Amino acid sequence: NDDSNKDKSNDKNSNEDKSAGNSNNSGKENENKEESASEDTKPDISKEETGSDFVINLPKNMSAPREFGDLASVSWAKESIIKLSSLGIINGVDDVTFSPKSYTYRADFVVVISRLLGLDGSAGNIFSDVDGSSYYAKAVSLANKFGIVQGSNGMFMPKSNITRQDAMVILSRVLEKAGKLKKADSSALNGFNDKASVSNYALSPMADLVGMGILNGDNNRNLNPKGFINRAEMAVVIDKIYDVLK
């Protein structure tokens, strides 16, 4: 399971879309889970107040680089993948396979965030669809405690693929909690053809991350906000967040 040395991946949903990182191709706008799996929830003030013990323990000790054999098609992400795997933030699906074009489950994205931040402590699970015995339960519960994830309507939809816009909403909260978020006007999105496709709750976070250079559009100037982020793209943006936090 993912709480040791393997990451889950959804190989059935693999694509070649790179718009969250250094993109050459446009992603598909797959919206079939947008309504049920989103971060379209205002922060719960009581959760924010419990976050006073929020401490970042950024991983710094690097192990020997992993030799994943399936990175040739994502050369733009290889450096980030190797760096984060050496830091123990991202793992392969096995010892020699990273599965870079597979989409990322919402649960696994939060597990990676938890490793990035070194989250620790105790927190009760408030999501009805998160099994308390699952490998991701503690990471999701702590991320919720610290106001990093809120889910929607009391549910987290852990096994739904995470969209780009939800990934960016979560990452903006990480930077905000760390005091590293640089606000940008929504006009930062004006140069993108599909700005109108960004959900209202994600407009400000995506503008902020574009302004900080963490989020890039593809070569066609699209953000593909409701397309799913794959593992290579995730590695690139998490690497950028790591560099901001260190």
Side-chain angles (χ1 to χ4, degrees), residues 33-43 106 150-152 162-170 172-173 183 197-208 225-226:
K33 291 175 181 159
E34 156 76 0
E35 292 301 318
S36 58
S38 76
E39 286 293 311
D40 186 11
T41 303
K42 298 298 183 185
R106 289 170 55 82
Q150 273 89 43
S152 184
I162 192 164
T163 61
R164 285 178 190 73
Q165 64 179 10
D166 278 359
M168 298 310 125
V169 167
I170 290 170
S172 73
R173 291 176 184 153
K183 300 296 292 180
S197 298
V198 180
S199 297
N200 287 337
Y201 69 88
L203 277 170
S204 181
M206 293 191 81
D208 295 340
K226 294 170 185 173

Side-chain angles (χ1 to χ4, degrees), residues 79-94:
E79 183 177 347
S80 293
I81 292 168
I82 292 173
K83 172 183 171 181
L84 295 184
S85 65
S86 297
L87 286 164
I89 296 171
I90 289 180
N91 297 318
V93 296
D94 60 39

